[in-house]
Amino acid sequence: MSKICVVGTGYVGLVTGTCFADLGNRVTCLDIDKTRIDNLKQGIMPIYEPGLEQLVAQNVRAGRLEFTTDFSAALKDAEFAFIAVGTPSGVDGEADLQYVRSAAESIADIVDGPIVVVNKSTVPVGTGDWVADIIKKRRSGRSLDFNVVSNPEFLREGSAINDFMNADRVVLGSTDREAANKVAQLYLILRCPILITDLRTAEMIKYASNAFLATKISFINEIAGMCEELGADVNEVAVGMGYDKRIGQAFLVAGLGWGGSCFPKDVKALAHMAVLHGTHPQLLQAVMDINRTQRRRAVYQLRKALGSLDEKIIGILGLSFKPNTDDIREAPSLEVIHLLQNEGAIVRAYDPQAMENAAAVLSKVGLCNDPYEVAAGADALLLTTEWNEFKQLDFQRIRGLMRQPVLMDGRNTWDPDYLRSLGFTYFGVGRGNTAKS
Ligand code: NAD
């Protein structure tokens, strides 16, 4: 059993802390957001993540997990301080490291005993060294026995607990092998491959992994554009490609493109890093361009179907950037809504979990209670997030409710033949053999 402090109690910090507690460690999750911590103390989750609420409750009851805003209490006797604060995009696409800096400074100010500082936040290559420097400088002569280990996080929102507990791999980077081994001990129980590298390599593995996954999605989206024009079905193309073990099925899903709190900022940050260090990120630029095109293409399809978007009522199904999360950061829905409103469309929307987050950032969008309210009187419906709830809708009822029966399936989830048989005009993404109604 180890004593762990997790600095930053967001999607990554809360899941990491809770899972480590569940594995038998004593964990204190710390955040500067007092409301968040007060709520957590009462069992109220700051995020929607399947299974998290029960796991938190279980571990709090067992006395292994607690929450605080007090750095001294959280770091007292801690052997490990995991930094899991946000690293959002800065003005130029670079990762904004102000929260990492502040977390490192707080650790330096408070800790006295030996400690391993574990960086879980996604940070530019070289940040581990930078964090070590910050801590040293901040101590200004007061010695501290510490090491920095990079431990990038690969969990996916919506399946985060499972991803932590059944990780494909754990990556640890450090200039000090012993420190990396100590962190490895925490993960041994998961029985997954543990790769120990130097600090910078571990940091790069995270960016390269996210950029590669984003590339796969943009690749299939580029193919989708061709399928649309050439009369092929990209869903089947992806299946046919994916049977090849060298390619695999995962992330070959055409649609409105990638979003969320990680891919957009990480691809941007990697491209920024490349430019900063004199290399030209041609592929990454194309990956980002294709992603933007997907949103514009959906609006183009709707405009084409409806003549003009001015004063047309467009219903949006799904606001979160993907199913099973309430996270709307960089969600495709937000960009599409913006583009639609720009052309004079009247937008309404519904999401099973993200309504509260969406209400805080959307303006002039009618927020509805269910998909049928969205459909009532609408000129078109656009599926932006493939929540299970939207897969088996009562389309006969929807057909009766809509002013014009136009469906744009931004996630290639619905059955085109069935919907056309009900009298809908159906558009998917890259479903060329069926897109012409
Ligand atoms: P988040 O925004 O959900 O949470 C960050 C938390 O850190 C917030 O609660 C904030 O109040 C807190 N915080 C900020 N400064 C602090 C400080 N000085 N001390 C204590 N707490 C502080 O962020 P997230 O989505 O959990 O992401 C965290 C990091 O993990 C990012 O670098 C992200 O790129 C990376 N990551 C995220 C995911 C994901 O799916 N969300 C997956 C892998 C990696």
Side-chain angles (χ1 to χ4, degrees):
M1 186 199 74
S2 298
K3 171 85 177 30
I4 296 172
C5 166
V6 180
V7 183
T9 310
Y11 286 88
V12 167
L14 183 54
V15 170
T16 302
T18 306
C19 289
F20 273 135
D22 205 54
L23 295 175
N25 301 289
R26 267 182 50 225
V27 179
T28 305
C29 284
L30 170 120
D31 207 286
I32 47 173
D33 181 339
K34 188 173 178 311
T35 314
R36 180 168 286 229
I37 293 299
D38 287 346
N39 283 337
L40 277 163
K41 282 179 175 167
Q42 295 172 54
I44 302 167
M45 296 300 108
I47 54 170
Y48 171 74
E49 182 60 44
L52 186 61
E53 190 170 341
Q54 298 89 309
L55 205 63
V56 167
Q58 234 167 276
N59 284 285
V60 168
R61 259 199 314 275
R64 290 189 295 264
L65 178 63
E66 47 190 19
F67 302 100
T68 185
T69 54
D70 179 351
F71 276 87
S72 304
L75 286 163
K76 190 170 182 314
D77 303 329
E79 297 150 77
F80 301 93
F82 279 77
I83 298 181
V85 299
T87 47
S89 277
V91 279
D92 207 17
E94 78 282 9
D96 178 351
L97 293 176
Q98 61 170 308
Y99 305 105
V100 175
R101 171 188 279 279
S102 157
E105 287 175 350
S106 302
I107 292 168
D109 288 345
I110 282 155
V111 172
D112 268 323
I115 193 155
V116 182
V117 177
V118 189
N119 200 359
K120 251 206 178 304
S121 298
T122 303
V123 288
V125 177
T127 303
D129 298 324
W130 178 76
V131 164
D133 281 347
I134 288 175
I135 296 176
K136 272 185 217 139
K137 271 194 205 134
R138 190 80 176 184
R139 298 290 293 186
S140 54
R142 284 182 304 139
S143 74
L144 176 66
D145 177 4
F146 81 100
N147 278 291
V148 176
V149 173
S150 162
N151 173 212
E153 181 52 61
F154 300 99
L155 62 75
R156 294 163 298 176
E157 289 175 20
S159 55
I161 294 168
N162 183 59
D163 289 348
F164 185 98
M165 294 297 193
N166 300 291
D168 289 339
R169 79 306 209 181
V170 166
V171 174
L172 300 172
S174 182
T175 44
D176 184 283
R177 185 77 188 195
E178 206 185 308
N181 282 339
K182 270 192 204 159
V183 183
Q185 292 295 323
L186 294 173
Y187 287 105
L188 282 185
I189 194 167
L190 298 179
R191 295 182 187 282
C192 66
I194 298 177
L195 176 67
I196 299 185
T197 69
D198 62 80
L199 256 175
R200 288 170 181 239
T201 302
E203 289 165 345
M204 183 52 105
I205 287 172
K206 173 62 191 174
Y207 277 107
S209 301
N210 272 3
F212 186 75
L213 294 172
T215 301
K216 264 188 115 176
I217 298 174
S218 283
F219 176 84
I220 200 67
N221 277 334
E222 180 153 303
I223 296 293
M226 296 180 219
C227 287
E228 223 152 84
E229 298 306 322
L230 297 172
D233 184 329
V234 75
N235 278 12
E236 288 174 27
V237 171
V239 172
M241 287 172 65
Y243 278 125
D244 186 328
K245 290 191 187 68
R246 294 167 302 175
I247 297 174
Q249 305 281 353
F251 283 76
L252 278 188
V253 184
L256 296 177
W258 36 274
S261 65
C262 291
F263 285 7
K265 81 173 173 63
D266 293 349
V267 178
K268 247 191 265 172
L270 185 58
H272 183 269
M273 245 181 280
V275 173
L276 212 61
H277 295 280
T279 66
H280 180 31
Q282 299 174 65
L283 179 60
L284 299 180
Q285 293 297 357
V287 166
M288 290 188 277
D289 283 352
I290 294 166
N291 205 47
R292 269 191 300 271
T293 302
Q294 292 312 105
R295 277 75 141 150
R296 292 177 189 153
R297 177 118 186 122
V299 174
Y300 162 78
Q301 297 268 45
L302 287 169
R303 191 192 310 118
K304 208 167 85 176
L306 298 173
S308 145
L309 291 170
D310 195 30
E311 297 198 353
K312 297 291 181 337
I313 299 176
I314 311 292
I316 302 290
L317 296 179
L319 293 164
S320 57
F321 82 92
K322 67 173 182 179
N324 297 322
T325 180
D326 60 351
D327 198 343
I328 57 161
R329 291 178 280 185
E330 302 269 349
S333 63
L334 303 186
E335 200 176 333
V336 170
I337 288 171
H338 172 75
L339 293 170
L340 290 169
Q341 287 181 328
N342 230 11
E343 295 197 31
I346 299 155
V347 178
R348 3 177 138 119
Y350 165 74
D351 185 282
Q353 290 294 339
M355 297 302 274
E356 204 180 314
N357 287 342
V361 298
L362 290 175
S363 70
K364 296 193 189 138
V365 172
L367 296 175
C368 301
N369 292 312
D370 61 53
Y372 303 98
E373 198 181 325
V374 176
D379 294 293
L381 282 187
L382 169 57
L383 179 71
T384 40
T385 318
E386 67 280 29
W387 284 92
N388 277 342
E389 184 177 333
F390 300 146
K391 289 182 181 162
Q392 307 270 359
L393 293 169
D394 180 348
F395 284 104
Q396 305 239 23
R397 183 174 163 204
I398 286 185
R399 173 81 180 78
L401 287 168
M402 291 178 73
R403 190 158 70 180
Q404 297 193 64
V406 175
L407 298 180
M408 164 90 219
D409 180 357
R411 295 296 174 187
N412 285 356
T413 290
W414 294 328
D415 176 354
D417 293 337
Y418 170 64
L419 293 172
R420 290 207 178 97
S421 76
L422 293 182
F424 284 104
T425 299
Y426 170 94
F427 298 90
V429 179
R431 303 178 101 176
N433 58 354
T434 49
K436 321 258 176 316
S437 59

